[in-house]
Amino acid sequence: FEVPDYPLWWAAVSALEVRASGFDLRAMNAQLAVLAVAFLGAALRLLWGRVRPWVALGAVLLVAVSPEFWRHAQGGGADLPLAIYVALAVLCAALWLARDETHLLVLAAVFGAVALQIKTEALPELVVLALVGFAAAHGRRARFVLAAGAALATAVPWQIWRAVHDVPSRLPLGDALDPARLADRSERLWPSVRTVTGHVVDPTEWALIVPLALVAIVLRRDIPAAAALVSLWGFLVFVYWADRDALDFVLATSAYRVVDPLVLTAAVLTPLLAEGLLRAAPRATQDAARG
């Protein structure tokens, strides 16, 4: 409960596990390790049969060999769980956009609802991702709005409770969006861009997950995937720009882990982009031969 405006679910679950283990903090690491392995299995299962087996296995392996994935799984924090549920929500939504299978949209809503109970930043992250999904859901927007609305509605009880009990926010919305305040803090912008970007492209932290995703996006010319990743990146930069704490401190203590949702989202989108490129290649070859 160090941060008063965080949702209670992750703190409550962690507290129960630590208490059940005799106040052994390693219980949280065990919980995260199970969740990390479960994520790899869930992502592989969702991709299986929808992309080539070697593409699905390669995407999951890239995450599995990333040092930061296991470092964060042994850190006891909520950033990796948040990233897992955000990424699974994005993956299911992307698969639903491609195949229109109702159960995938339901899963996307469920995963999104869980993410909202973990950390405060889940709400703005899922809002921007929902806007991207809405723009991409041509002809199916009513169903998408229903699912996204159901997921986002699960955040309402906590927001009401906070308002009733006057629980302060670490970064009030009015302060965050104040143009004059942001202008006065303009010197924070470039260090935020540099640090956040550095963490997501460093191969010693997250292998080549984000660079490969960017290459696939450019080759595929996939605007929704680009918008999703840029939105998550822009949100993180904005938060550090507007944050009230000393910039060097918050960048050093949190930037390496708050990028998790961005990286895992890139990880689950890359195999879908790669599969699209592989399917388009034979058609391009045939068109060239006929030409």
Side-chain angles (χ1 to χ4, degrees):
F1 301 100
E2 180 182 357
V3 183
D5 62 343
Y6 274 11
L8 300 180
W9 179 72
W10 184 254
V13 168
S14 300
L16 288 172
E17 290 186 346
V18 171
R19 187 174 301 176
S21 66
F23 292 92
D24 188 340
L25 292 177
R26 291 175 296 180
M28 296 174 65
N29 292 343
Q31 168 187 252
L32 283 168
V34 171
L35 194 59
V37 173
F39 167 71
L40 297 176
L44 184 61
R45 179 63 185 89
L46 287 165
L47 291 167
W48 203 260
R50 296 178 171 90
V51 302
R52 289 163 171 78
W54 65 269
V55 172
L57 287 168
V60 171
L61 184 61
L62 264 182
V63 177
V65 300
S66 295
E68 289 297 284
F69 183 68
W70 300 108
R71 178 188 176 192
H72 298 178
Q74 295 300 300
D79 298 280
L80 184 61
L82 171 63
I84 284 171
Y85 286 104
V86 168
L88 289 176
V90 171
L91 175 57
C92 289
L95 290 171
W96 174 76
L97 289 171
R99 292 179 170 248
D100 198 12
E101 298 175 14
T102 301
H103 73 280
L104 292 170
L105 186 60
V106 173
L107 282 174
V110 171
F111 289 135
V114 175
L116 288 165
Q117 314 313 313
I118 298 177
K119 290 194 75 179
T120 305
E121 57 260 40
L123 182 56
E125 288 179 353
L126 287 175
V127 167
V128 297
L129 290 171
L131 292 174
V132 173
F134 177 81
H138 304 293
R140 289 176 282 166
R141 286 176 175 166
R143 281 182 289 161
F144 183 84
V145 168
L146 181 63
L152 294 172
T154 63
V156 172
W158 175 238
Q159 300 300 321
I160 293 175
W161 192 91
R162 281 181 51 200
V164 170
H165 294 276
D166 196 25
V167 177
S169 173
R170 290 190 71 251
L171 182 60
L173 188 61
D175 290 345
L177 300 179
D178 183 353
R181 182 175 179 275
L182 291 174
D184 289 340
R185 304 165 73 82
S186 59
E187 75 282 355
R188 298 169 64 99
L189 185 55
W190 172 242
S192 301
V193 170
R194 184 182 63 240
T195 303
V196 170
T197 306
H199 282 301
V200 300
V201 301
D202 187 345
T204 66
E205 294 187 24
W206 285 104
L208 293 172
I209 291 174
V210 173
L212 286 174
L214 295 177
V215 170
I217 286 172
V218 171
L219 294 176
R220 184 67 177 156
R221 299 177 184 175
D222 194 301
I223 294 176
L229 297 187
V230 170
S231 296
L232 290 175
W233 174 86
F235 168 73
L236 294 175
V237 170
F238 175 78
V239 167
Y240 285 117
W241 180 14
D243 194 83
R244 66 186 182 184
D245 295 323
L247 183 61
D248 289 343
F249 172 77
V250 291
L251 286 176
T253 58
S254 65
Y256 70 93
R257 53 186 170 82
V258 299
V259 300
D260 289 5
L262 168 59
V263 175
L264 292 192
T265 296
V268 298
L269 289 178
T270 300
L272 303 182
L273 295 166
E275 182 65 23
L277 289 169
L278 291 169
R279 291 181 181 179
R283 292 195 297 269
T285 302
Q286 292 172 3
D287 292 342
R290 283 195 295 267

